[in-house]
């Protein structure tokens, strides 16, 4: 209408660009192997390694947790071992010689357990059931290695030889009955029980 002030133009919201695709696992392998070689030849400063390697390990965990459904469908355990777990463990073993063999093995198994957890979140029942079998294999192996320990996640003071993994302030080795029980039950550490009995639980998996 003539003579009426025009309303100020409202800028259209900027279109959000799609997130970048994740780094292919073969590229992750190449990166880890290259870093391992640079560390072995002392081409990287100790200060850089001390700062970068913990963040790199966090990024590797995030890469596994953030796998897309199509990746979960196509990537098997052997490929994850070859592209991620073994190069990552090799890098840490080269750089952090003060770490014991048990700590290095814990990291390898943690990465595998994160992969199993991601499979349990996939829409493919076959992958979920395979992940349950893989977790069972880990539990059986840990049980055989620690026959006199038990899986205890009860409240403090509930008895038992092992301290409660949920409440104990002491860090627990992942590959121990108490450490594995904490991992299975604790949602904050990407545990499995909240997934198994949550809203996306599948009757086939529960059986």
């Amino acid at each position: 209408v003539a003579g009426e002030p025009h309303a100020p133009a409202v800028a259209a919201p900027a279109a959000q660009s799609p997130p970048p695709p994740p780094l292919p696992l073969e590229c992750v392998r190449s990166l880890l192997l290259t870093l391992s070689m640079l560390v072995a030849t002392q081409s990287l400063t100790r200060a850089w390694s001390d700062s970068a390697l913990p963040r790199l390990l966090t990024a590797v965990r995030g890469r596994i947790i953030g796998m897309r459904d199509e990746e979960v469908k196509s990537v098997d355990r052997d490929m994850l071992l070859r592209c991620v777990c073994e190069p990552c463990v090799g890098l840490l073993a080269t750089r952090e010689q003060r770490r014991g063999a048990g700590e290095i093995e814990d990291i390898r198994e943690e990465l595998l357990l994160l992969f199993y957890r991601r499979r349990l979140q996939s829409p493919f029942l076959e992958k979920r059931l395979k992940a349950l079998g893989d977790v069972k294999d880990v539990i059986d192996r840990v049980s055989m290695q620690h026959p006199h320990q038990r899986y205890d996640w009860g409240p403090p003071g509930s008895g038992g030889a092992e301290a409660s993994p949920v409440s104990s302030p002491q860090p627990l080795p992942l590959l121990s009955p108490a450490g594995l029980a904490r991992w299975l039950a604790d949602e904050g550490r990407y545990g499995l029980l909240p997934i198994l009995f949550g809203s996306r639980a599948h009757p086939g998996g529960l059986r």
Side-chain angles (χ1 to χ4, degrees):
V1 179
E4 291 188 2
H6 294 286
V10 178
Q16 292 184 347
S17 57
L23 191 65
L25 293 184
E26 290 288 352
C27 295
V28 173
R29 179 176 186 270
S30 298
L31 173 63
L32 293 172
L33 291 177
T34 300
L35 286 174
S36 186
M37 180 188 66
L38 293 174
V39 168
T41 58
Q42 298 182 347
S43 300
L44 301 175
T45 65
R46 186 178 187 87
W48 187 92
S49 297
D50 287 343
S51 171
L53 288 186
R55 289 182 292 167
L56 177 64
L57 184 58
T58 298
V60 169
R61 292 187 182 105
R63 178 65 181 85
I64 297 173
I65 294 168
M67 290 177 69
R68 297 178 175 179
D69 285 338
E70 57 267 26
E71 283 186 298
V72 175
K73 187 175 183 179
S74 61
V75 173
D76 60 12
R77 180 180 181 275
D78 290 341
M79 183 176 180
L80 190 84
L81 281 170
R82 185 178 69 85
C83 292
V84 180
C85 299
E86 300 302 349
C88 187
V89 165
L91 171 60
L92 294 173
T94 301
R95 173 61 184 86
E96 303 186 34
Q97 297 180 358
R98 62 184 178 274
R99 283 183 183 261
E103 288 184 78
I104 297 293
E105 182 67 11
D106 274 8
I107 292 173
R108 176 181 177 275
E109 291 296 325
E110 180 193 359
L111 297 178
L112 283 172
L113 286 169
L114 290 176
F115 177 58
Y116 305 153
R117 176 187 185 271
R118 179 60 187 89
R119 275 185 162 183
L120 282 170
Q121 293 177 306
S122 77
F124 312 111
L125 178 59
E126 176 188 358
K127 299 300 181 182
R128 296 188 203 180
L129 297 180
K130 181 66 171 67
L132 286 176
D134 290 331
V135 172
K136 179 182 181 299
D137 290 343
V138 175
I139 293 174
D140 289 344
R141 185 168 66 253
V142 170
S143 298
M144 291 180 62
Q145 293 171 348
H146 303 273
H148 303 297
Q149 298 182 22
R150 65 189 183 92
Y151 293 83
D152 180 9
W153 45 55
S158 61
E162 300 297 323
S164 168
V166 173
S167 60
S168 173
Q170 299 298 325
L172 295 166
L174 177 63
L175 298 186
S176 67
L180 193 55
R182 166 179 282 184
W183 195 93
L184 289 169
D186 190 352
E187 187 173 8
R189 295 187 66 192
Y190 312 112
L192 300 183
L193 295 185
I195 296 174
L196 288 175
F197 300 102
S199 59
R200 296 188 64 184
H202 192 281
L206 294 177
R207 284 197 295 271

